Amino acid sequence: MDVRPNQTIYINNLNEKIKKEELKKSLYAIFSQFGQILDIVALKTLKMRGQAFVIFKEIGSASNALRTMQGFPFYDKPMQIAYSKSDSDIVAKLNGTFKERPKKIKPPKPAPGAEEKKDKKKKPSSAENSNPNTQTEQPPNQILFLTNLPEETNEMMLSMLFNQFPGFKEVRLVPNRHDIAFVEFTTELQSNAAKEALQGFKITPTHAMKITFAKK
């Protein structure tokens, strides 16, 4: 029996060792490229372990995500994706508390004093924005430089994003810096294709990733 297309997809065969919060953040990171996500439901009960629901605003987003990510290796296990049978229950609950939902997706608030540090970091990046030439000075090469990454970014999240593109080799994080990273491809053509596709990709609703070629 085929379930009718709806805006909620049901995912199973997920890695049961991953903590619930990390699982939800990683699912958000790879599925938000298909459209606006209203909520992600992942329960750690015995019955629901290894399963999750991703609720999109549009049915088209859910359909695209289902087709594209079917069998995608997520924490070393291929995802099994279908339309949710219980769409109406989840969406009905969601609609009742819709205004509160976006708070769940936002990254945790920084500790007191961290705001000032962030402001200092933000100022040079806004200067870069005002001069687009700073973004295009480096000649194309096989290594990409990522900036404006959120605090919870990890190697697995970035690997899953860039692993979709041919020629992907590795992600390199920078010690003591959560906001930048390097991604290496086999050729500059391959790195350029990934750069074009993921430029401005939002890992969280507040962080649009900036991609340039790394300095050689």
Side-chain angles (χ1 to χ4, degrees):
M1 279 177 57
D2 282 344
V3 181
R4 66 175 175 80
N6 60 73
Q7 71 225 66
T8 305
I9 57 172
Y10 164 69
I11 307 164
N12 67 355
N13 198 41
L14 295 171
N15 193 320
E16 295 176 7
K17 294 176 184 174
I18 309 305
K19 288 182 181 173
K20 178 181 161 184
E21 284 311 307
E22 184 183 344
L23 180 71
K24 287 175 76 168
K25 283 174 185 171
S26 297
L27 286 170
Y28 185 89
I30 61 168
F31 280 103
S32 58
Q33 62 185 299
F34 299 103
Q36 185 180 342
I37 292 174
L38 298 181
D39 198 16
I40 292 176
V41 179
L43 304 173
K44 291 301 280 183
T45 59
L46 268 176
K47 188 180 172 187
M48 290 297 293
R49 204 179 287 169
Q51 303 166 65
F53 295 91
V54 179
I55 305 161
F56 288 95
K57 187 176 182 184
E58 306 288 341
I59 292 176
S61 303
S63 300
N64 196 7
L66 186 150
R67 283 194 305 269
T68 307
M69 303 304 285
Q70 188 70 263
F72 184 84
F74 185 73
Y75 290 103
D76 301 322
K77 292 184 76 173
M79 287 193 284
Q80 294 174 6
I81 309 175
Y83 292 112
S84 168
K85 294 174 190 171
S86 53
D87 164 70
S88 54
D89 296 343
I90 292 172
V91 173
K93 285 178 193 171
L94 187 77
N95 289 342
T97 56
F98 180 71
K99 285 179 184 172
E100 295 172 20
R101 290 293 175 178
K103 289 180 187 173
K104 291 192 174 182
I105 296 172
K106 284 182 184 175
K109 286 183 180 177
E115 296 266 336
E116 292 171 22
K117 289 178 189 172
K118 278 193 177 178
D119 287 342
K120 285 177 189 172
K121 281 184 188 174
K122 278 181 188 173
K123 281 172 188 172
S125 67
S126 60
E128 282 174 22
N129 289 345
S130 61
N131 181 5
N133 292 333
T134 57
Q135 302 273 324
T136 54
E137 275 178 5
Q138 300 306 320
N141 61 77
Q142 69 270 33
I143 300 175
L144 299 175
F145 178 52
L146 316 182
T147 57
N148 200 39
L149 300 174
E151 197 165 340
E152 60 266 40
T153 304
N154 59 39
E155 192 174 328
M156 173 64 75
M157 274 188 198
L158 293 176
S159 293
M160 284 189 295
L161 275 179
F162 285 91
N163 196 26
Q164 310 168 58
F165 299 94
F168 170 77
K169 287 179 77 175
E170 64 171 348
V171 168
R172 292 198 292 276
L173 300 182
V174 179
N176 303 319
R177 289 288 300 273
H178 68 77
D179 55 332
I180 60 175
F182 294 90
V183 181
E184 185 172 353
F185 284 82
T186 306
T187 70
E188 66 184 52
L189 278 174
Q190 291 166 334
S191 66
N192 189 54
K195 174 177 175 287
E196 294 295 318
L198 291 175
Q199 187 68 267
F201 177 83
K202 288 187 176 180
I203 292 182
T204 70
T206 51
H207 287 78
M209 182 165 59
K210 293 173 189 166
I211 310 176
T212 56
F213 291 110
K215 290 180 183 176
K216 293 294 269 181

